[in-house]
Amino acid sequence: MSGNHHHHHHGHDHGHDHDHYDVFHSHAPANKLKIAFFLTLFIFVVQLTGGIISHSLSLLSDAGHVLTDIIAIGLSWFAINQAKKKPDEKRTFGYHRAGILAALFNASFLILIAFIIAFEAYWRIRNPIPVTSTWMFIGAAVGLVINSYLTLGLSKNDNINVRAAVLHMLGDAVASAGVIVGGIIIYFTDWYIIDPILSVLIAFIIAFGAWGILKQTISILMEGVPHGIDMEKVITTLRSIDGVQDIHDLHVWSLTSGKNALSCHIVMNGVHTIQECQSALRTIEHKLFHLEIEHVTIQIEDEQHPHENSIYCRELEKDHDHHHHGHHHH
């Protein structure tokens, strides 16, 4: 009786089919991301070269920030392609977490980059190094133009991975604009200390973004309750359903951002036919779908065995016997 009941038996369609990720991730974002990836790579090369030629730390940190874009875009592209791989014998959940692991690694790497930039900037604030403003200007302008173009092109997309990449690019456009302003000031005033000060600001932007990603990936890897899901509401919704007396062993987690799952045991009140149980299950799935939970697995139990266990499975390790009272409906 327990099982991952999908929503195909609902009378109305919810807009996208759950078994095929291809509907969810159309091929359009993958192609757009591919273009974005190579254009961003181009900015990176220009800014890195420009930064080295002009000795401009702020242009180098802008290149560092662009590296975060390349990673974010590469990840999104990777995640979209990974999600197309169907679950198999080795990975019954499919390959969604691959993107999460990559994000964890990258976020850690970005925080390191931010520290390196800040460290270098500290020395430069103490003794400023002359900077050629022309290259600062060129490198940053290339970044600003391409990033603005990409942001506009991708901003209408609602895939979470693409949204993350767009945010990165927006941040980068802002950083590039800052470097341009810095280049202009240096050109007219030779006030070189502006350069390391800008770098510190960009390092902060990088670290701030990376910290956000780190928190989210750790929460997913720890099987935390997904962002935006209200447990109180989930529990009251489950309990409010006709025939449901109580719930226990409740778990809510996410495979990857935007793909949420729930499993629990449900105690039905009174004796119920299989049809009644099925209909209760359908109602549950339907209501949970509207709470952003699309993968639901439920085990139904009789009330003859009152359960001392709490809503959350308190004693996962010690409590082996409670699955074996044989009164399940099958």
Side-chain angles (χ1 to χ4, degrees), residues 4 6-7 16 18 258-260 288-289 292-296:
N4 205 333
H6 282 293
H7 297 263
H16 61 339
H18 293 253
K259 284 210 170 301
N260 302 331
L288 288 175
F289 185 84
E292 312 283 300
I293 299 173
E294 51 179 81
H295 297 277
V296 179

Side-chain angles (χ1 to χ4, degrees), residues 103-325:
L104 179 74
F105 170 76
N106 287 322
S108 320
F109 173 60
L110 293 177
I111 287 175
L112 184 69
I113 287 184
F115 270 109
I116 293 170
I117 294 172
F119 190 71
E120 175 67 16
Y122 168 73
W123 289 111
R124 290 210 183 185
I125 287 172
R126 295 186 63 172
N127 36 11
I129 294 174
V131 175
T132 338
S133 51
T134 326
W135 266 100
M136 265 180 91
F137 198 78
I138 297 169
V142 168
L144 182 61
V145 170
I146 297 180
N147 273 309
S148 310
Y149 165 72
L150 289 174
T151 307
L152 289 171
L154 286 168
S155 57
K156 287 176 281 297
N157 209 294
D158 53 358
N159 178 306
I160 181 138
N161 285 304
V162 181
R163 276 214 307 261
V166 166
L167 264 170
H168 274 269
M169 291 183 223
L170 250 167
D172 193 53
V174 172
S176 298
V179 176
I180 290 176
V181 173
I184 294 172
I185 295 175
I186 288 176
Y187 180 76
F188 287 114
T189 65
D190 285 347
W191 206 30
Y192 298 125
I193 199 163
I194 288 256
D195 181 58
I197 290 173
L198 276 170
S199 320
V200 173
L201 291 174
I202 296 172
F204 267 116
I205 298 176
I206 296 175
F208 187 72
W211 180 245
I213 298 170
L214 207 58
K215 271 188 358 199
Q216 203 186 349
T217 53
I218 288 173
S219 163
I220 290 175
L221 292 172
M222 289 287 299
E223 307 282 15
V225 171
H227 183 67
I229 285 190
D230 175 358
M231 285 306 282
E232 289 295 308
K233 205 168 178 183
V234 169
I235 294 167
T236 45
T237 303
L238 288 171
R239 283 192 168 144
S240 71
I241 284 155
D242 217 22
V244 173
Q245 180 180 315
D246 205 3
I247 53 171
H248 56 89
D249 290 9
L250 172 65
H251 298 287
V252 179
W253 71 100
S254 61
L255 290 171
T256 177
S257 49
K259 284 210 170 301
N260 302 331
L262 173 146
S263 75
C264 70
H265 294 204
I266 277 184
V267 183
M268 302 287 280
N269 52 24
V271 179
H272 287 272
T273 64
I274 288 188
Q275 280 73 24
E276 288 173 311
C277 290
Q278 280 288 13
S279 118
L281 280 177
R282 265 183 219 136
T283 315
I284 289 170
E285 280 163 8
H286 193 134
K287 291 201 166 165
L288 288 175
F289 185 84
H290 290 295
L291 293 177
E292 312 283 300
I293 299 173
E294 51 179 81
H295 297 277
V296 179
T297 310
I298 290 170
Q299 181 170 329
I300 292 186
E301 303 186 348
D302 296 344
E303 64 177 335
Q304 290 117 292
H305 296 271
H307 236 278
E308 295 79 53
N309 218 346
S310 62
I311 285 191
Y312 304 108
C313 194
R314 281 272 159 74
E315 306 191 33
L316 269 159
E317 290 78 21
K318 288 178 240 158
D319 197 21
H320 285 308
D321 53 315
H322 81 271
H323 288 289
H324 300 303
H325 36 246

Side-chain angles (χ1 to χ4, degrees), residues 42-52 59-60 62-63 66 139-140 143 176:
F42 172 71
I43 306 177
F44 178 68
V45 173
V46 170
Q47 294 194 342
L48 192 64
T49 320
I52 291 167
L59 191 53
L60 282 174
D62 199 1
V66 173
S176 298

